[in-house]
Amino acid sequence: MKFAMSFFSILVLVVSGALFFQYQAYSSDLETGNGSFHYSQEIEIVYRENSLDIRHHFKNLPNQKVKIKWPEKATNPTCFIDNENSCNRLSDEVSYFAKGDTKSQSVSYIIPIDGGLQNKMLLQNIFATLTNGEVSYSVIHISTDSKIAGQWITGLPLVGQQQLSLVNYTMFSGNGAAKDLYWQAGQIKAQEQTPVLTIYAQQPIAKDFLKSLENLKFLNDEHIAIIQEKNPVAQHDERLLFLPTLTQQAVEQEVILSQIHSQYTFENSPAWLAEVVASYLVKDSIGSEKTKNIVKTLKDYMTESQQLAWQEAMDNLGEETISPVTMDTLLSTVLNAKTSYFQLNATYENGTYPLLLEDERSIYVDGIHKKDVHVILYEGQVLYSADTLLPYLGYTAEEGKNGYYVKSDNRTFRFPKESGFYVFNQRRYSTISDPITKIVDHYYVEEAWLQRLFLVELQKSDGRIQVLTQAQE
């Protein structure tokens, strides 16, 4: 018992001394532009009677009014008297810290846990936060009854843990914040810890696997906890990863994707879009087969200078929201041609949509603007949307059993699925190129064939393309 208490005391003293200097360093990073700022925090958690009793110490507060955002499940939010000034900025309704010179304030609150701790329990968004504030450094102490056996896990590095006569004590500290708290009963424990990763598993980890981790590429040094779990948790803090098996590829991919989601905001985006961004940031294709196909398509299409410009655009995404629309805007700028490549792929679930460049000029048929007719550039060909254009030329156009059928009162075409010929008015004609091309679910007619077969004249200017039928000439 004496040895345990001595270990506990030494651990707290050593870490507290280190944290003092950390806090002093981070206080110099305080930002006040637009009301934003950085702060440090120390959180003491005691689990008792089916609830978490939390004492939350905010440090390095700015000399400005700061609103407190309490967790939805928090009860009894109040002042925690740590010293004579520990609550002198706390408002009477405990909703904000008033402007003042005192840099540290302390509060307490309770997070009820219905039914008490259960195995593999994820407690989400249980900590108070400060509006417009970003956590630069966190320390978390957790105490539970000594009769409760298990492991607490956060995304922060594990400093140490000790089994005492009455309580089990665990301590975490590191850069940034921890949003979620995970509890797993049984024998799971930290098997390996690096500056970036802590790996929790029930069994010791193979040395070859640990050796492979030394060469992994990561986007930043923000710490992440990896929990080996056969049934991964679906929704969780970006700093917690649940993997059924521990392999170099799985760890590298999941850590990078987690870092991507913590570093950037993706809006209305499929999972593969984050994988595409990650692939360019680590300069290695990771993720699904669709992601790899998209990266390869862009690489094969772009010139060397375009590839450099695109890489630079990915490296400088900044804090703006990322979506298929914003990615298409960037790609159009790099290619100097409009494309909806990412948007088309976002709505296409059966594979990878090809890269199409779009002619932005308005299309007129016999002087009338036709908004549903489109012109694209694909594999060196200029293609017109046959499904929408041909009806304006007096034809019906539809897909049939033996190909694509185009008919008017006295002209009938069939364009078979196989290449090399077409049928006009029941007569077969051989071709070197295909007059009609199917791209995903849409049919297009090649520009030269459009003029030759459907007897139209094309007049092009900077803002429009005129399609004139023979009768109009």
Side-chain angles (χ1 to χ4, degrees):
M1 176 63 184
K2 291 183 179 179
F3 172 77
M5 289 302 296
S6 298
F7 175 86
F8 173 80
S9 300
I10 292 173
L11 177 64
V12 172
L13 287 173
V14 170
V15 174
S16 296
L19 294 177
F20 173 79
F21 292 105
Q22 288 279 4
Y23 292 150
Q24 295 301 313
Y26 280 114
S27 64
S28 64
D29 294 332
L30 185 64
E31 295 184 1
T32 58
N34 297 322
S36 63
F37 58 93
H38 285 79
Y39 65 96
S40 303
Q41 62 182 3
E42 186 168 7
I43 304 173
E44 302 172 71
I45 305 172
V46 178
Y47 173 71
R48 60 164 68 95
E49 298 179 357
N50 297 348
S51 67
L52 299 178
D53 292 2
I54 300 177
R55 298 173 179 176
H56 200 144
H57 310 280
F58 298 97
K59 303 174 184 288
N60 304 321
L61 295 175
N63 185 8
Q64 66 186 49
K65 180 179 178 180
V66 177
K67 293 182 179 180
I68 304 171
K69 184 178 181 181
W70 296 103
E72 290 184 4
K73 296 183 178 180
T75 62
N76 300 328
T78 187
C79 161
F80 175 72
I81 302 176
D82 193 30
N83 57 61
E84 61 180 358
N85 295 319
S86 60
C87 298
N88 64 350
R89 292 178 58 180
L90 183 63
S91 65
D92 293 338
E93 69 276 17
V94 296
S95 62
Y96 66 89
F97 295 125
K99 183 177 180 180
D101 293 327
T102 305
K103 290 188 174 297
S104 298
Q105 295 285 276
S106 299
V107 297
S108 67
Y109 47 98
I110 296 174
I111 303 294
I113 302 177
D114 295 336
L117 279 182
Q118 301 175 26
N119 186 31
K120 300 179 182 179
M121 174 173 278
L122 181 66
L123 303 169
Q124 295 185 287
N125 299 312
I126 60 171
F127 301 125
T129 58
L130 303 180
T131 302
N132 293 330
E134 182 177 347
V135 180
S136 54
Y137 199 86
S138 297
V139 183
I140 297 179
H141 312 265
I142 307 176
S143 298
T144 55
D145 189 287
S146 59
K147 297 178 182 179
I148 302 176
Q151 179 69 53
W152 290 104
I153 300 175
T154 74
L156 301 171
L158 175 65
V159 175
Q161 49 192 355
Q162 182 67 30
Q163 294 180 342
L164 306 177
S165 60
L166 298 178
V167 299
N168 293 330
Y169 169 78
T170 307
M171 182 177 182
F172 304 88
S173 71
N175 296 333
K179 298 179 183 178
D180 298 347
L181 190 60
Y182 180 72
W183 165 261
Q184 183 162 330
Q187 301 301 314
I188 188 171
K189 63 180 182 178
Q191 301 287 350
E192 181 68 17
Q193 181 158 276
T194 72
V196 179
L197 303 174
T198 300
I199 301 177
Y200 295 86
Q202 292 184 345
Q203 302 297 329
I205 300 172
K207 293 182 179 180
D208 291 343
F209 170 70
L210 296 177
K211 185 68 175 178
S212 70
L213 298 180
E214 298 176 2
N215 299 320
L216 294 186
K217 305 173 184 177
F218 298 123
L219 299 180
N220 55 57
D221 58 359
E222 186 170 85
H223 189 272
I224 290 177
I226 296 178
I227 302 102
Q228 186 176 21
E229 171 54 49
K230 293 182 179 179
N231 300 305
V233 178
Q235 301 294 329
H236 50 78
D237 182 352
E238 292 88 353
R239 302 186 72 170
L240 296 177
L241 291 180
F242 297 84
L243 298 179
T245 57
L246 296 177
T247 65
Q248 177 183 352
Q249 182 179 6
V251 169
E252 180 178 33
Q253 176 170 311
E254 293 304 319
V255 169
I256 290 173
L257 292 177
S258 177
Q259 291 176 334
I260 280 285
H261 284 288
S262 65
Q263 188 171 343
Y264 301 101
T265 301
F266 290 86
E267 183 178 64
N268 300 323
S269 300
W272 56 260
L273 188 62
E275 296 174 352
V276 170
V277 175
S279 296
Y280 281 98
L281 294 183
V282 298
K283 298 178 176 60
D284 185 21
S285 293
I286 64 171
S288 64
E289 195 64 29
K290 182 165 184 170
T291 297
K292 294 176 181 177
N293 288 337
I294 288 174
V295 172
K296 184 178 186 303
T297 296
L298 295 177
K299 180 180 179 180
D300 291 344
Y301 183 84
M302 290 181 181
T303 65
E304 184 175 349
S305 61
Q306 288 173 336
Q307 290 183 40
L308 292 174
W310 179 246
Q311 182 66 57
E312 183 178 358
M314 295 297 97
D315 292 337
N316 295 297
L317 284 173
E319 297 181 356
E320 67 268 21
T321 299
I322 301 173
S323 68
V325 174
T326 61
M327 291 288 283
D328 279 331
T329 300
L330 289 174
L331 183 58
S332 297
T333 300
V334 169
L335 299 181
N336 195 29
K338 186 178 186 302
T339 181
S340 301
Y341 184 54
F342 289 99
Q343 294 173 74
L344 290 171
N345 271 292
T347 58
Y348 185 57
E349 300 179 355
N350 298 323
T352 306
Y353 211 99
L355 176 61
L356 310 176
L357 301 183
E358 304 163 23
D359 195 316
E360 296 187 80
R361 288 176 289 187
S362 299
I363 310 300
Y364 287 76
V365 178
D366 291 337
I368 301 175
H369 185 200
K370 304 298 183 181
K371 294 183 178 180
D372 58 346
V373 179
H374 307 287
V375 179
I376 63 170
L377 179 64
Y378 175 62
E379 294 186 343
Q381 292 183 309
V382 178
L383 304 176
Y384 292 68
S385 54
D387 298 326
T388 54
L389 173 59
L390 294 179
Y392 293 128
L393 303 181
Y395 296 88
T396 60
E398 60 182 0
E399 183 176 12
K401 180 179 179 181
N402 295 312
Y404 190 64
Y405 294 82
V406 180
K407 299 178 182 179
S408 69
D409 291 341
N410 55 6
R411 294 165 61 81
T412 301
F413 295 90
R414 179 173 68 87
F415 302 95
K417 297 178 181 179
E418 61 271 21
S419 300
F421 73 97
Y422 68 92
V423 177
F424 171 58
N425 287 348
Q426 306 302 316
R427 184 174 179 180
R428 174 172 171 153
Y429 295 86
S430 298
T431 64
I432 297 176
S433 62
D434 294 326
I436 297 291
T437 299
K438 185 178 182 181
I439 301 176
V440 186
D441 295 324
H442 303 286
Y443 284 89
Y444 294 86
V445 55
E446 192 273 330
E447 185 175 69
W449 283 107
L450 171 65
Q451 297 176 84
R452 176 180 174 183
L453 297 181
F454 300 104
L455 309 177
V456 300
E457 176 187 349
L458 300 178
Q459 296 179 354
K460 298 182 179 182
S461 61
D462 291 342
R464 65 173 60 188
I465 298 177
Q466 290 272 16
V467 181
L468 302 175
T469 62
Q470 191 175 52
Q472 184 78 5
E473 294 179 335

